[in-house]
Amino acid sequence: MKKFLFAVVAFSIAFSISSCKKDTAETGPGAIDIEFDNIAVVDGIQRQLSLVTPGSASYTYQNGMGQDFNINLLRYYISNIKLEGPNGELFEDHVHVDVSGTEGIYLVDESDLSTGVINLEDVPAGQYNKITFTVGVDEDGVQEGAAGGVLDPATCHMFWNWNSGYIAMKFEGQSPVSNGGTSGGETVDGTSPNGIVYHVGGWRDMPGTAFVKNNKTLTFGFDTNARVEKGLQPRVHMVFDVLSLFKGQNMIDFTGNHNVHKPVDGQPVAENIPAAFAFDHVHQ
Amino acid sequence: MFNREGPFAAPPQFKVMRTVFLAAAIGLLLAACQRAEIEAGKEVYSLNKPDYFPDIAYPMATNPITKAGFELGKKLFNDPRLSLDNSIACSNCHVKAVAFTDPQHNPSVGIFEQSGSRNAPMIANMAFQSEFLWNGGVSHLDFVPVFAIENEKEMGETLADVIRKLNRTDDYPPLFKKAFPKIDTITSPYMLKALSQYMLLLVSDNSKYDQSVRGELQLTAEEAAGLDIFNRKCANCHSGALFTNHDFLNNGLDSVFEDEGRALISETDDDLGKFKVPGLRNVTLTAPYMHDGRFKTLQQVLNHYRSGVKDAPTLAPELKKNGQLGIPLTDDEVEKLILFLETLTDYDFVSNPVF
């Protein structure tokens, strides 16, 4: 019996070693998920974000100035995803925009959590420990003209018709200190007494003018490698702390600049975006 | 190069690919009925750029023009269902007979009898431009209709509702299917591409001036004198084959700006009161003039330039040389300039039945 067990164990080890070798030798590209998890960091603790019904007077969050607020809507574009590894691994997600659809640009919408998970296929096997992505849609995506999928201007609710281009990040909610009178909101209108509307966009930087590009390209390292190979599907968990939109580099005051639609007006919020994102962990 | 004889002379910008009926097509050409040949030929239209025009700015590869797409765009352009109360089509304010401008209203009137704040600009030679609207807010031709459809004072409709309406009609789904065989449901990018196909082919290049450039005729001595004055006094800004340098300039209409113009987009005071320099093709047809349509005649326009220019920090330097406001012009020069400007009228363009 013992001999038999030994034989089985030995055989298994031998088999697993040989199959490992075989795998490494033959391993093809795999998949990896990038998850964007929208959270609120309160007292240093990550909390699940909760959306309210538009007009709600129930306030869960505070900005950096101690002003209460809540959130009806949070939506942003992620594009140009790039993964890199310690051994020269490189994966650049293909961006293709045309009338029939859009690839490589993703719209993360807090009201539909499935949109927060971006599945990347055909990623070369290897170790990855660095991600770069853009929040917003850059010039190439705009200048392709009318596009389908997540860029369809009729359905994305992220298109500016008067200054053509896509809003990078859209936030709407209420704050008791806001005196309302907002415009152009999706969940808040001019009659909402306490609306706060931040439509942050702008894809053009023109030297010598006030044209502002508010899209942000961000890079994060991972504390552990994500191993990609055929049959594996690791998940990189990124977090976005909504509260950080309104503090950090710039304090955002809901009594003043609370109805934002122009690139320049959105610049203070846009400058807070980089610090609001963070790498959290890798699920192998 | 082009057959221009006969009442149905073909628009030069259509170069219809033909693979079959070549002999028949030649026969048709001789019969001076190239329009019929467009019907009979292969279903591909292409944009034919005159060699003295600027480069095509539109990314043509993203939107191959077909007869079905062009005709769908034309139908959409003329359809009031694109507006909130089904009352205003693009063609309400962009009337073909006057080079797709609005001769009636100043400024144009949208849904619920609302007046906009700006003068409907000409739709012609759009393929060669990359910034649209008086303030340049729209940077791609596909997106121009979105502005007009969604503007509260123009068509006042959401793009999403327009698409819902089109999907519910009997006529549009098969036309979209014909133009874009891959699709089963109408979506906004396809509608916008069809509108662009129509607008891209609206090329105006057969004015008397064009014919003189091509050596087909000579301008009269007075027209030529007008051209000479134009080149010396106007062509800094109204330059090139489209008679615009595509810049945004303050041409001295006001000192205080009710409409901030380009500054609404660029968000800098340096652009206060600046508007897109309009091209001057068909200018005799496109009254009223200026971004707000304040002038009814070319005489008034030229009077403005010689004696009405108002100073402002953003005034175009061409209008304040040596501390002197305006452009010095004698009555005789004004008369000759107007004679020259009349040579920019393209009657083939405004009477082309294909458009």
Side-chain angles (χ1 to χ4, degrees):
Chain A
M1 190 66 186
K2 270 187 179 172
K3 270 186 179 175
F4 176 72
L5 268 179
F6 177 78
V8 169
V9 170
F11 179 77
S12 316
I13 290 170
F15 181 79
S16 64
I17 288 172
S18 74
S19 67
C20 265
K21 269 185 185 163
K22 211 172 141 192
D23 261 17
T24 345
E26 280 186 13
T27 193
I32 187 168
D33 287 339
I34 314 294
E35 180 178 3
F36 286 91
D37 189 3
N38 299 319
I39 57 165
V41 177
V42 181
D43 299 329
I45 298 166
Q46 294 187 358
R47 294 185 193 280
Q48 198 73 41
L49 205 65
S50 56
L51 298 183
V52 298
T53 310
S56 166
S58 157
Y59 299 105
T60 322
Y61 307 119
Q62 288 192 332
N63 67 4
M65 300 173 75
Q67 298 166 341
D68 289 336
F69 73 100
N70 57 25
I71 305 168
N72 306 336
L73 180 158
L74 175 70
R75 201 187 289 136
Y76 52 85
Y77 281 111
I78 296 291
S79 61
N80 304 326
I81 297 175
K82 183 166 83 172
L83 297 170
E84 292 168 274
N87 311 306
E89 290 92 340
L90 173 67
F91 170 76
E92 287 177 293
D93 190 26
H94 179 62
V95 177
H96 180 73
V97 173
D98 77 19
V99 63
S100 67
T102 296
E103 293 165 34
I105 299 176
Y106 308 90
L107 186 55
V108 177
D109 186 336
E110 181 58 16
S111 71
D112 176 1
L113 293 180
S114 70
T115 61
V117 180
I118 297 169
N119 175 238
L120 304 174
E121 306 271 0
D122 283 327
V123 179
Q127 309 283 332
Y128 292 89
N129 64 358
K130 194 164 123 183
I131 186 170
T132 300
F133 58 85
T134 299
V135 182
V137 179
D138 279 347
E139 179 166 359
D140 288 351
V142 180
Q143 293 300 73
E144 193 66 24
V150 297
L151 294 182
D152 182 335
T155 55
C156 69
H157 304 293
M158 297 290 277
F159 183 75
W160 271 332
N161 63 39
W162 57 277
N163 185 357
S164 60
Y166 296 89
I167 295 165
M169 182 173 285
K170 192 183 228 187
F171 172 98
E172 297 181 7
Q174 286 77 217
S175 171
V177 303
S178 157
N179 61 1
T182 57
S183 59
E186 211 175 307
T187 61
V188 174
D189 64 22
T191 63
S192 315
N194 304 115
I196 49 176
V197 171
Y198 294 90
H199 294 185
V200 179
W203 54 275
R204 289 191 266 196
D205 251 335
M206 287 174 72
T209 77
F211 274 85
V212 189
K213 180 172 170 176
N214 280 328
N215 295 343
K216 299 292 176 195
T217 297
L218 312 174
T219 299
F220 298 91
F222 309 157
D223 57 358
T224 48
N225 291 347
R227 185 158 63 95
V228 173
E229 58 184 60
K230 198 175 179 186
L232 295 180
Q233 188 156 0
R235 176 172 290 200
V236 177
H237 194 109
M238 304 293 302
V239 293
F240 173 66
D241 172 26
V242 183
L243 307 194
S244 292
L245 271 185
F246 304 113
K247 61 190 182 192
Q249 189 169 335
N250 303 302
M251 286 292 178
I252 307 300
D253 182 353
F254 297 146
T255 65
N257 194 12
H258 65 279
N259 183 31
V260 165
H261 296 278
K262 294 178 175 182
V264 162
D265 295 348
Q267 195 171 18
V269 177
E271 286 171 353
N272 289 338
I273 286 176
F277 279 93
F279 163 79
D280 199 70
H281 60 275
V282 171
H283 294 285
Q284 185 56 52
Chain B
M1 178 177 174
F2 305 124
N3 168 41
R4 295 194 185 284
E5 272 91 68
F8 294 108
Q13 51 280 13
F14 283 117
K15 184 183 161 200
V16 180
M17 305 298 180
R18 41 186 188 275
T19 49
V20 283
F21 303 130
L22 193 58
I26 291 167
L28 282 168
L29 274 169
L30 294 174
C33 192
Q34 208 169 4
R35 190 178 163 232
E37 190 236 357
I38 288 170
E39 302 291 326
K42 208 179 170 190
E43 306 278 293
V44 176
Y45 287 1
S46 67
L47 181 65
N48 204 354
K49 179 181 97 68
D51 54 12
Y52 52 96
F53 267 39
D55 289 342
I56 295 172
Y58 188 89
M60 299 300 292
T62 65
N63 191 13
I65 301 177
T66 61
K67 178 171 179 283
F70 170 86
E71 286 174 353
L72 172 60
K74 178 179 176 177
K75 181 178 164 74
L76 289 162
F77 190 86
N78 288 287
D79 194 332
R81 285 177 287 187
L82 269 58
S83 66
L84 178 66
D85 60 355
N86 304 326
S87 67
I88 303 283
C90 306
S91 57
N92 275 49
C93 304
H94 298 281
V95 181
K96 179 175 120 179
V98 287
F100 299 94
T101 59
D102 188 348
Q104 309 279 350
H105 307 104
N106 176 20
S108 291
V109 177
I111 56 164
F112 308 138
E113 315 296 328
Q114 298 177 95
S115 278
S117 56
R118 293 191 185 145
N119 182 16
M122 177 171 66
I123 300 182
N125 302 328
M126 303 293 264
F128 313 103
Q129 300 173 50
S130 51
E131 290 179 298
F132 305 92
L133 310 187
W134 281 102
N135 61 20
V138 174
S139 59
H140 194 294
L141 181 59
D142 290 354
F143 297 134
V144 174
V146 187
F147 176 85
I149 289 169
E150 295 194 336
N151 186 295
E152 285 176 9
K153 291 181 172 176
E154 296 188 22
M155 298 161 87
E157 183 59 290
T158 65
L159 207 49
D161 277 339
V162 171
I163 297 303
R164 262 192 288 278
K165 281 196 237 176
L166 295 182
N167 272 310
R168 280 195 212 120
T169 60
D170 292 331
D171 46 347
Y172 277 107
L175 294 173
F176 273 85
K177 188 79 185 163
K178 197 174 164 200
F180 306 106
K182 281 190 221 156
I183 66 167
D184 294 316
T185 309
I186 300 169
T187 60
S188 84
Y190 287 97
M191 179 186 78
L192 298 172
K193 292 292 183 194
L195 282 163
S196 284
Q197 289 192 26
Y198 174 62
M199 292 189 284
L200 285 166
L201 290 191
L202 298 179
V203 175
S204 174
D205 67 350
N206 201 28
S207 65
K208 188 174 182 183
Y209 169 78
D210 290 294
Q211 291 167 21
S212 79
V213 169
R214 295 193 296 256
E216 295 161 13
L217 56 72
Q218 277 201 319
L219 299 181
T220 66
E222 282 189 315
E223 289 163 349
L227 171 58
D228 182 56
I229 297 159
F230 183 88
N231 281 335
R232 283 186 285 115
K233 302 201 170 183
C234 314
N236 252 14
C237 305
H238 295 286
S239 58
L242 301 184
F243 298 89
T244 170
N245 58 2
H246 305 284
D247 203 353
F248 298 89
L249 297 171
N250 168 8
N251 65 342
L253 294 171
D254 298 295
S255 296
V256 179
F257 306 104
E258 211 174 286
D259 184 340
E260 294 184 356
R262 180 67 169 167
L264 289 170
I265 301 301
S266 68
E267 305 184 44
T268 161
D269 287 351
D270 296 344
D271 284 339
L272 276 173
K274 290 186 181 178
F275 294 89
K276 189 177 182 186
V277 174
L280 300 182
R281 288 177 167 273
N282 301 300
V283 72
T284 53
L285 302 176
T286 61
Y289 303 107
M290 305 297 157
H291 68 273
D292 55 1
R294 70 175 66 183
F295 299 134
K296 290 191 177 67
T297 65
L298 288 175
Q299 183 73 46
Q300 287 173 339
V301 171
L302 291 167
N303 284 345
H304 162 73
Y305 283 121
R306 62 176 170 174
S307 58
V309 171
K310 296 191 180 76
D311 204 1
T314 56
L315 182 68
E318 285 82 359
L319 297 176
K320 194 181 180 184
K321 284 184 176 165
N322 310 317
Q324 204 63 18
L325 284 175
I327 302 171
L329 289 168
T330 65
D331 287 350
D332 179 58
E333 284 176 319
V334 167
E335 202 175 305
K336 290 191 170 93
L337 272 175
I338 291 176
L339 284 172
F340 163 68
L341 292 172
E342 283 171 356
T343 72
L344 299 179
T345 306
D346 181 351
Y347 294 101
D348 284 355
F349 178 65
V350 297
S351 62
N352 190 327
V354 176
F355 300 154

